[in-house]
Amino acid sequence: MDVLTRHIQGEVPWCMLFANDIVFIEEPRTGVNARLEIWRQTLEAKGFKLSRTKTEYLECKFSDGTHESHVDVKLDTQVIPKKGSFKYLGSTIQGNGKIDEDVVHRIGERWMKWRLASSA
């Protein structure tokens, strides 16, 4: 994959490819749209198919600056749905910066392991 995408990769950590997940870190949404369009064109030109129905994004606000609330994130012409949280590698990342969902999930997993062990 690195050979196919070398010319569109940015400097780490601003543009990272993780198997099926791509992370773009940009201040304005228009920057995300521009980079996403370059990736789409490049990957589709190489025969890859990007799912228009499974693609979603998470917005994390790292600064208090103004945000482009009127700009949609798009893949080609299709608007990508915004999610409030994202599960990745066993953790839940929340756009609001909190960790509530991840803590509840981990407690629930531990509780289930304890119940299974105590019933055996």
Side-chain angles (χ1 to χ4, degrees), residues 21 28 38 41-42 74 90 94 106-107 120:
D21 300 315
I38 292 169
Q41 289 175 359
T42 302
K74 295 183 179 182
Q94 293 177 236
R106 289 173 186 269
I107 290 171

Side-chain angles (χ1 to χ4, degrees), residues 40-79:
R40 184 194 68 76
Q41 289 175 359
T42 302
L43 293 173
E44 289 181 351
K46 303 289 183 185
F48 289 89
K49 295 191 184 230
L50 302 177
S51 173
R52 296 331 194 241
T53 57
K54 293 182 180 178
T55 302
E56 53 195 24
Y57 81 98
L58 171 71
E59 178 180 35
C60 297
K61 295 180 182 171
F62 297 110
S63 66
D64 290 332
T66 58
H67 297 282
E68 304 166 306
S69 58
H70 62 282
V71 176
D72 291 322
V73 176
K74 295 183 179 182
L75 182 58
D76 197 10
T77 58
Q78 184 166 345
V79 175

